[in-house]
Each structure stands twice: as structure tokens, then as C-alpha cells.
Amino acid sequence: VQLLESGGAWVQPGGSLRLSCAVSGFTLRSYDMYWVRQAPGKGLEWVSGISSSGDSTNYADSVKGRFTVSRDNSKNTLYLQMHSLRAEDTAVYYCAKPCGGSCIDHWGQGTLVTVSP
Amino acid sequence: QSALTQPRSVSASPGQSVTISCTGTSSVFGGYNSVSWFQQHPGNVPKIIIYDVTKRPSGVPDRFSGSKSGNTASLTISGLQAEDEGDYYCCSYAGTYTLIFGGGTKLTVL
């Protein structure tokens, strides 16, 4: 099982980025998926979750209305579209594969998003 | 401020036991009884060590154990070893693809 995030970069406040998470070693369409972030020196924060089919999503209040999670199961890829980025969005963003409930058995290596002037 | 409250830090000597608490509300824990604990060493991704309150994934030593009473989940590490030093996070499933993480606890092995 591998999860490989990409798309992290430095961006100015108000900018946009799209993160991707390419997975292998398991059938993406069989799993709900999560995005979790970790600001420098801080704790883990759940960002978004998406159902296995992509029909249902949920977001942390801190990103609701600005971030959109999606997936292309045919491409084995998960996405996180981020708009109106703020300094407080600076973090390493992980995609994560759940193993039921709050159990996460595989994490990507993370991709760093830096929002600053 | 996280909806799951953990002590910022705990410490103990090698060979001793340490317990990390994770306190929330009934709405945070919901009716799923799905609490996990993650260990994170500096520069590494989190690693699951307890799921479904008490279950250990294969490969995790039985020195790690989880429990829950009321609105407080706990992680106990017995026979503390130097490599146990790191950050520990509790996490609850709150329904509708939502996770709630605790603020994290830094474990220092003296």
C-alpha cells in the first residue's frame, strides 16, 4: 500500500492549490478517504473526508467553503482543491486510508503547503 | 482548542508505566466507540497503535493498551522504553467521514 501526495507549494494569501494523492496497492473505490493536516510544530487536524463513491463529503469548519475534496477512482487518485488560502492553512497535508471508524492504517508521506506573502 | 483534551506532556522513567488521557464529550465520541491512538516520532508520519478503543494492530507490542470509561479514553504504556518517546494523539470517529483529533501529548522517557 502506498499513498503519494503531490501539489504542495508556496502560495500567497488568497491563492489556490490543488493537492493530489495517488494510491497503489489497494482498491481506492472500496474506501472512504481522509485529508489530515499538521501545521509546523502543531498537532494533527482532520481536514476533510469523502465517501468511497465520492457522493458524500465533509469538512472541518476551518476550511468549509474554501476546500473541496474529490476523487477519481478510475485513476486511483484523491484530490483536495484549496481556495482563498490563509496563513493558518500552512501545514503538511496528508492523505490517509482508514481501516474503519477512526482507524487509519496508512498515511502518505505528506506534502507541504506554505501560505505567506 | 480541540474537542478532545489530552495532557500536553507526560514523562516517566524506563520500565515504568504511563497513562495518557483523552477527554471529550458524549457527542464527540458519538455512538461509534471508535477511538484510536497514534504515535508520531519527529519527522515521521503518524503510526496507529490502538484502534476501536482497545485493539492493537499486528506488530504493536502488547505494552500498549487502550481503554475507555465514560467520556475519557486512555492509552497506557507499560514497561516504558526509550523508543516510546514521541507524540501521541487520540482520535475519535464522529460520523459522516469526520475525525476529531486530540491536541497531542508529548511523552518524555526520562
Side-chain angles (χ1 to χ4, degrees), chain B residues 18-38:
Chain B
V18 66
T19 296
I20 300 172
S21 61
C22 171
T23 302
T25 64
S26 55
S27 62
V28 167
F29 288 116
Y32 302 96
N33 212 37
S34 178
V35 178
S36 297
W37 289 89
F38 297 91

Side-chain angles (χ1 to χ4, degrees), chain B:
Chain B
Q1 188 172 359
S2 174
L4 288 174
T5 301
Q6 299 180 232
R8 280 187 172 257
S9 64
V10 296
S11 62
S13 299
Q16 291 185 326
S17 294
V18 66
T19 296
I20 300 172
S21 61
C22 171
T23 302
T25 64
S26 55
S27 62
V28 167
F29 288 116
Y32 302 96
N33 212 37
S34 178
V35 178
S36 297
W37 289 89
F38 297 91
Q39 176 192 64
Q40 187 178 33
H41 291 128
N44 287 359
V45 301
K47 171 191 173 184
I48 190 158
I49 53 174
I50 296 290
Y51 68 100
D52 287 351
V53 179
T54 62
K55 297 176 182 177
R56 272 180 295 106
S58 62
V60 174
D62 59 7
R63 305 185 292 105
F64 293 87
S65 63
S67 63
K68 182 172 176 286
S69 177
N71 290 329
T72 298
S74 297
L75 171 70
T76 297
I77 310 171
S78 58
L80 207 58
Q81 299 181 4
E83 65 254 35
D84 298 333
E85 187 163 288
D87 296 321
Y88 291 82
Y89 297 91
C90 63
C91 179
S92 175
Y93 182 71
T96 323
Y97 321 109
T98 302
L99 301 176
I100 298 174
F101 286 95
T105 298
K106 180 177 180 59
L107 168 63
T108 300
V109 180
L110 300 171

Side-chain angles (χ1 to χ4, degrees), chain A:
Chain A
V1 172
Q2 284 193 324
L3 299 88
L4 185 62
E5 302 95 338
S6 60
W10 170 83
V11 62
Q12 292 187 332
S16 299
L17 276 178
R18 188 175 85 155
L19 305 183
S20 300
C21 173
V23 311
S24 60
F26 68 99
T27 304
L28 182 62
R29 66 170 56 88
S30 298
Y31 293 89
D32 304 332
M33 292 292 289
Y34 297 120
W35 286 98
V36 176
R37 69 185 180 184
Q38 187 168 33
K42 303 297 184 182
L44 301 172
E45 180 188 15
W46 169 79
V47 172
S48 181
I50 184 169
S51 64
S52 57
S53 65
D55 290 347
S56 183
T57 59
N58 208 356
Y59 301 91
D61 288 343
S62 57
V63 307
K64 199 170 292 183
R66 301 187 298 121
F67 290 13
T68 302
V69 61
S70 62
R71 61 196 294 160
D72 187 335
N73 287 337
S74 68
K75 294 183 178 179
N76 289 316
T77 303
L78 179 72
Y79 302 100
L80 185 67
Q81 178 69 56
M82 305 184 293
H83 295 296
S84 303
L85 283 161
R86 307 166 179 167
E88 55 265 36
D89 295 319
T90 295
V92 173
Y93 285 73
Y94 297 101
C95 62
K97 171 187 168 293
C99 42
S102 63
C103 174
I104 296 175
D105 58 355
H106 291 91
W107 301 69
Q109 87 292 346
T111 188
L112 177 63
V113 173
T114 303
V115 185
S116 71

